[in-house]
Amino acid sequence: MFDFVQMLVSGIASGSAYALMGLAMVIIYKTSKIPNFAQGEMALAPSFFAYMLIDSYHLPFYIACILTFGFSVFLGCMIEIIVLRKAQKSNVLGMIIITIGLEMILLGFVSWKFGAEPKSMPFPISPYDSIPMKDLIKGTDLIIGTLELFTFTIALILMIIIFLFFKFTKFGIAMKATQQNQVIARAMGINTRRIQMMTWAISSFVGCIAGLLVSSITLHPYMMWDPMLKGFSAAVLGGMASLPGSIIGAYIIGILESLFGGYISIEFKSVVSLMIIVVVLCIKPSGLFARHYIKKV
Amino acid sequence: MSAIIELKDVVTFYDLIIALRSISISIEQGSITAILGNNGAGKSTILKTIMGLISRQPSKGDINFLGGKIAGIPTEQIVRLGISYVPEGREVFSELTVKENLLMGAYTRKDKKGVKKDFPWIYNYFPILKEKENQWAGTLSGGQQQMLAIGRALISRPKLLLLDEPSLGLSPLLVKEIFNIIKAINKEGVTIVLMEQNAKMALTISDYAYILENGRVGIKGPSVELLEKKEVRELYLGIYSGSSRNRYQNIKKK
Ligand SMILES: Nc1ncnc2c1ncn2[C@@H]1O[C@H](COP(=O)(O)OP(=O)(O)O)[C@@H](O)[C@H]1O
Ligand SMILES: [Mg+2]
């Protein structure tokens, strides 16, 4: 029982990072109709940016974080303006190749600037801090990692903000309208180009938070590869176009992989997410939570 | 008597395909103008050209709205000048609620309070929308979606309302209801341009009409006069009189 709950907790923590990566990808996919394979590296670059501010410029952690948020928004806007807006004439496949190219460029740049050896982010919470919970369930003491709790809390807050943004703000609703019908959104007076750019900015910001959370455990150029892949898996699991779907998908993957690692094989832990995808796509090709409305004539 | 919008020798292409061949149209302030034509005549293209929805078009000609040139300026700005558009086939945002759809219609308005006050005004025209306020627009029937599309265009408080075949696919009873509402909206001072294949209905409620053929203006004139014109009656209203009726009956007998 103790083991099980402990594994559940760590599954939820890693699921949180996957959920943010998945959300970031879905937000872009819904507006631009492309899976953004540069998402991982768009989270990597800000993490190293924060590291640089702290390590070389000796800025306090929280200030560095705030500057990093700004940097991630700027990065998202720049990528949209410089690369994707120009490439809008090319087809989906071309756009996918462009995002893969971007990924390589960002990865190459980070590796060249900082080297491939792992660094350690001066994160205020270390992976070894924990909150003991005595008698949580009758007779069992549970140890919850502070970092795990922190990761989950931050992810939850961010998800709630995203939900409120899309539900209640005019700009958020306009973003959904643009995703559904760009031409008609323009006819409503919505500046769809700005919406497109903001989509990339928001997504980049969400990814940046995921990157910073991951960097608390491990900081090296390939650190986002695994969370990106899992986030993408979660998004596909959720039907690629559903925000709640990708969140649920991410927690399913996080928890299953943690249980699999605990009970069966730690080596094959990472394969679980891909196995889930294959199985789900065989049974329900549109993903678990895809919604389709048939247009009435 | 002055024109609210004027198209002068407008030419529009879809890539290499020409869709409008030198169209000149003038819409009287406060009027209902019907633009009739069969499928493919260019009705939708005229509206899309006015709204600036076809990139780099019109390739020739001028469009003047309230005296200012609007050809070539971005759609967002055209909307802000006071033109509203109800596209062919409704095109509501199907995964937004009815209320959110209306909110998007009011996107360009800065007066939050005014917008709030205008919701009852729209619901007064279309009570069913009030009932379905929190439902996704995709779940509405075709007629309800048409009402939503009109409400969404109206809530921006336009000076000019462009309607693309609002009767398409609706039952005769619903068409009548919608046309009555269009008339009522016009009575409130909104100038209306109505694209229609349903010539009879459109000519009955409009003041002036143009008939498009193959991207050109064919017949034009006050609607009451067109209703009496023999070629209009035969070709667009399906009413045959005198010798033509006999001819039709002869064909039938054979
Ligand atoms: N997106 C498009 N690409 C190419 N040709 C088009 C497009 N839309 C319309 N057309 C052509 O332009 C002409 C006018 O079409 P349209 O304005 O839709 O006519 P209507 O609305 O009167 O039925 C038609 O010949 C049609 O085939
Ligand atoms: Mg049409």
Side-chain angles (χ1 to χ4, degrees):
Chain A
M1 189 63 201
F2 171 81
D3 278 355
F4 177 76
V5 177
Q6 204 76 65
M7 279 182 245
L8 211 60
V9 169
S10 90
I12 288 172
S14 44
S16 299
Y18 306 161
L20 294 186
M21 290 309 290
L23 279 178
M25 290 193 89
V26 170
I27 289 171
I28 284 184
Y29 181 79
K30 286 183 81 158
T31 316
S32 304
K33 303 289 175 265
I34 47 168
N36 175 22
F37 287 107
Q39 200 75 57
E41 276 59 36
M42 284 172 66
L44 175 74
S47 301
F48 270 90
F49 180 79
Y51 173 76
M52 181 186 79
L53 291 181
I54 298 166
D55 191 63
S56 312
Y57 297 94
H58 309 293
L59 290 181
F61 179 79
Y62 294 104
I63 306 236
C65 274
I66 289 166
L67 290 176
T68 302
F69 296 160
F71 173 73
S72 72
V73 167
F74 175 76
L75 182 70
C77 290
M78 276 337 222
I79 288 179
E80 202 277 330
I81 294 172
I82 296 173
V83 187
L84 293 155
R85 198 172 285 182
K86 299 270 183 289
Q88 223 144 53
K89 275 275 156 70
S90 85
N91 59 13
V92 173
L93 204 58
M95 300 282 270
I96 291 173
I97 302 290
I98 288 171
T99 69
I100 293 175
L102 272 171
E103 183 210 339
M104 309 273 212
I105 292 168
L106 287 169
L107 182 64
F109 181 77
V110 169
S111 305
W112 164 74
K113 184 106 180 29
F114 297 95
E117 67 279 4
K119 310 257 183 311
S120 116
M121 177 73 100
F123 211 74
I125 306 167
S126 96
Y128 311 108
D129 295 340
S130 63
I131 307 165
M133 304 225 172
K134 282 209 172 7
D135 263 356
L136 189 71
I137 306 161
K138 237 192 203 142
T140 52
D141 294 346
L142 189 64
I143 301 158
I144 294 183
T146 313
L147 192 59
E148 289 173 339
L149 192 66
F150 181 75
T151 301
F152 175 70
T153 311
I154 294 289
L156 189 67
I157 291 171
L158 200 56
M159 287 173 208
I160 291 170
I161 292 174
I162 291 171
F163 170 80
L164 295 176
F165 171 74
F166 279 116
K167 188 79 196 157
F168 295 110
T169 70
K170 192 165 144 187
F171 197 74
I173 298 169
M175 208 169 252
K176 286 195 287 186
T178 306
Q179 289 163 352
Q180 290 172 33
N181 193 333
Q182 191 156 342
V183 174
I184 301 306
R186 264 167 65 209
M188 298 293 112
I190 296 169
N191 185 341
T192 54
R193 289 202 148 175
R194 198 163 67 201
I195 294 264
Q196 195 99 355
M197 189 178 80
M198 287 312 292
T199 305
W200 281 77
I202 291 171
S203 158
S204 181
F205 172 72
V206 173
C208 160
I209 302 264
L212 286 173
L213 289 170
V214 170
S215 75
S216 64
I217 305 164
T218 163
L219 184 67
H220 59 84
Y222 291 95
M223 70 183 206
M224 289 315 288
W225 179 241
D226 190 58
M228 206 289 286
L229 201 62
K230 305 285 171 56
F232 182 49
S233 308
V236 172
L237 210 55
M240 204 60 211
S242 157
L243 298 177
S246 73
I247 293 172
I248 295 169
Y251 284 111
I252 290 177
I253 290 173
I255 290 169
L256 282 185
E257 120 188 321
S258 173
L259 294 178
F260 188 89
Y263 287 120
I264 302 169
S265 153
I266 198 90
E267 283 84 11
F268 284 108
K269 194 177 130 176
S270 278
V271 183
V272 173
S273 72
L274 295 175
M275 267 162 44
I276 299 170
I277 290 204
V278 171
V279 172
V280 167
L281 291 187
C282 286
I283 299 167
K284 200 161 179 285
S286 56
L288 289 176
F289 306 94
R291 295 176 300 210
H292 290 291
Y293 266 79
I294 293 149
K295 202 173 134 196
K296 295 201 171 94
V297 181
Chain B
M1 297 284 264
S2 66
I4 184 167
I5 190 166
E6 253 181 318
L7 282 72
K8 281 187 210 151
D9 307 316
V10 167
V11 177
T12 296
F13 284 84
Y14 289 104
D15 292 319
L16 296 174
I17 306 163
I18 189 162
L20 302 182
R21 306 157 195 263
S22 195
I23 293 267
S24 293
I25 285 173
S26 172
I27 309 288
E28 213 50 52
Q29 186 122 33
S31 69
I32 299 182
T33 304
I35 301 181
L36 311 173
N38 296 326
N39 231 339
K43 300 183 297 296
S44 302
T45 306
I46 290 182
L47 296 190
K48 286 185 208 162
T49 305
I50 294 174
M51 295 304 294
L53 291 173
I54 310 169
S55 63
R56 294 185 307 278
Q57 300 298 325
S59 66
K60 282 202 194 103
D62 269 340
I63 304 175
N64 290 321
F65 178 67
L66 292 170
K69 273 189 191 175
I70 62 165
I73 73 173
T75 305
E76 306 100 67
Q77 285 178 36
I78 294 174
V79 176
R80 279 171 176 77
L81 293 173
I83 306 181
S84 229
Y85 168 54
V86 180
E88 183 179 315
R90 316 18 158 165
E91 306 265 6
V92 293
F93 300 113
S94 53
E95 292 187 16
L96 294 187
T97 64
V98 167
K99 204 172 167 182
E100 288 171 332
N101 267 275
L102 292 174
L103 208 60
M104 287 301 102
Y107 187 80
T108 53
R109 290 179 59 176
K110 296 273 175 278
D111 55 327
K112 255 190 176 166
K113 276 192 194 140
V115 173
K116 217 171 184 180
K117 270 193 204 140
D118 277 354
F119 272 84
W121 171 55
I122 300 293
Y123 291 151
N124 189 34
Y125 277 125
F126 308 108
I128 188 75
L129 296 184
K130 166 95 186 141
E131 244 170 78
K132 310 241 167 188
E133 200 176 46
N134 294 313
Q135 279 188 30
W136 274 7
T139 65
L140 302 183
S141 74
Q144 292 161 354
Q145 290 191 4
Q146 186 63 62
M147 294 175 186
L148 179 56
I150 296 174
R152 184 181 65 179
L154 201 54
I155 202 166
S156 72
R157 285 279 180 186
K159 299 183 180 92
L160 175 66
L161 182 63
L162 309 173
L163 293 142
D164 198 350
E165 298 205 41
S167 73
L168 198 71
L170 301 187
S171 71
L173 208 68
L174 258 175
V175 172
K176 212 166 182 178
E177 193 184 333
I178 298 254
F179 274 48
N180 279 334
I181 290 169
I182 292 171
K183 251 198 294 197
I185 292 169
N186 175 248
K187 285 249 163 64
E188 290 200 48
V190 182
T191 309
I192 285 170
V193 177
L194 181 62
M195 302 300 184
E196 266 300 342
Q197 284 193 62
N198 187 339
K200 193 173 170 203
M201 263 301 200
L203 285 176
T204 353
I205 73 157
S206 60
D207 305 303
Y208 201 88
Y210 292 82
I211 297 182
L212 285 185
E213 273 163 42
N214 217 345
R216 281 198 185 84
V217 174
I219 307 162
K220 62 177 177 183
S223 303
V224 275
E225 284 175 26
L226 292 201
L227 272 171
E228 297 307 317
K229 252 200 168 96
K230 186 163 164 262
E231 48 192 317
V232 175
R233 288 170 74 90
E234 288 183 3
L235 283 169
Y236 295 96
L237 302 174
I239 302 166
Y240 295 91
S241 46
S243 58
S244 25
R245 174 180 289 264
N246 294 337
R247 199 173 65 214
Y248 174 67
Q249 280 170 345
N250 286 342
I251 294 165
K252 222 176 164 187
K253 271 178 202 158
K254 274 182 198 169

